[in-house]
Amino acid sequence: MKIAIFGGTFDPVHNAHLAIARAAVDRFALDQVLFIPAANPPHKPGRAAAPYQDRLAMVRIAVRDQPRFEASSLEAREEKSYSIRTIERLRARLAPSDELYFLIGADAFAEITTWYRWRDVLRSVIFLIVTRPGHRYEVPADARALELSEVELPVSATVIRERLARGEQVDSIPPGVLEYIRTHGLYTPETGTRVT
Ligand code: ATP
């Protein structure tokens, strides 16, 4: 089996996340992409805007019709969501012949050498790096990395949160996710959730 970890804040999950995962499945013949929201993302300033349970719920909605995508709560109880812990926990559940990939945007990969136990991360997975407009990256010498460049989408969760906070139309998230955001009053200044 070829399994890809797709970590992120998913605050909220958006169409670029889904397009990237789909492109990775097609291009690299992946059997499964695990969307794993970070409970406490170590690389984001401050905290996520929406609570972990809401971000996980939105990911569940976004992947529900996609047989090769799965929402995972593997990082639910971590004090800090370090990828190496997720990788090791997942490895323990897989067969030795299973291949583990790590799907990641160029912006996030550019910071790889700042990650906790990053050399162990490099040894454990094959990176699938998605190019992202305006972001360059270097591949460390001993990393195994493949590039996915056909999805260049200028969508970001930050822009989506800003638009929602201003009450503007947002068309880059799945309708079910938008409905969840509205029902739960997420990303509106009135509820006190952080916007940036
Ligand atoms: P934010 O704007 O809050 O930083 P984001 O849109 O980058 O959020 P994350 O949840 O941080 O979303 O992203 C999860 C993963 O998806 C990261 O590896 C990120 O680089 C990647 N990603 C998100 N949007 C894109 C995009 N438009 N193109 C390429 N990669 C992306």
Side-chain angles (χ1 to χ4, degrees):
M1 289 257 286
K2 288 177 157 193
I3 296 155
I5 290 173
F6 191 17
T9 318
F10 299 114
D11 192 17
V13 61
H14 52 66
N15 288 345
H17 295 134
L18 297 167
I20 289 162
R22 208 164 294 131
V25 163
D26 293 347
R27 167 95 179 271
F28 302 109
L30 303 177
D31 295 289
Q32 197 174 44
V33 177
L34 294 176
F35 287 60
I36 313 181
N40 297 297
H43 295 285
K44 297 274 169 164
R47 291 180 25 238
Y52 171 73
Q53 289 303 337
D54 287 318
R55 292 182 284 113
L56 177 63
M58 291 188 280
V59 168
R60 287 202 169 115
I61 292 168
V63 304
R64 65 186 165 197
D65 303 323
Q66 313 276 345
R68 290 191 193 271
F69 297 174
E70 195 178 306
S72 164
S73 57
L74 258 181
E75 291 186 0
R77 279 177 298 279
E78 289 288 311
E79 194 188 311
K80 279 271 180 196
S81 305
Y82 292 125
S83 295
I84 190 65
R85 299 234 170 90
T86 307
I87 291 166
E88 287 175 346
R89 230 184 275 154
L90 206 53
R91 245 300 151 216
R93 294 185 191 176
L94 301 178
S97 59
D98 287 336
E99 286 178 290
L100 202 51
Y101 293 79
F102 199 111
L103 184 58
I104 188 166
D107 57 314
F109 187 80
E111 294 173 6
I112 188 75
T113 58
T114 68
W115 288 18
Y116 173 63
R117 292 176 53 197
W118 64 275
R119 288 196 173 82
D120 291 334
V121 174
L122 293 188
R123 266 192 287 275
S124 314
V125 296
I126 301 168
F127 278 95
L128 303 177
I129 306 168
V130 189
T131 55
R132 200 168 177 179
H135 293 280
R136 297 163 62 85
Y137 65 92
E138 275 175 37
V139 179
D142 41 2
R144 288 167 296 162
L146 303 166
E147 189 179 86
L148 192 63
S149 55
E150 62 261 39
V151 262
E152 289 257 339
L153 296 167
V155 179
S156 86
T158 304
V159 171
I160 290 170
R161 289 195 300 276
E162 286 166 357
R163 291 186 65 89
L164 289 166
R166 289 197 297 263
E168 292 171 11
Q169 188 103 10
V170 170
D171 54 10
S172 45
I173 50 181
V177 172
L178 187 58
E179 199 184 309
Y180 185 97
I181 289 170
R182 301 255 191 262
T183 312
H184 292 78
L186 302 178
Y187 309 118
T188 56
E190 304 87 75
T191 57
T193 50
R194 249 169 28 90
V195 171
T196 51

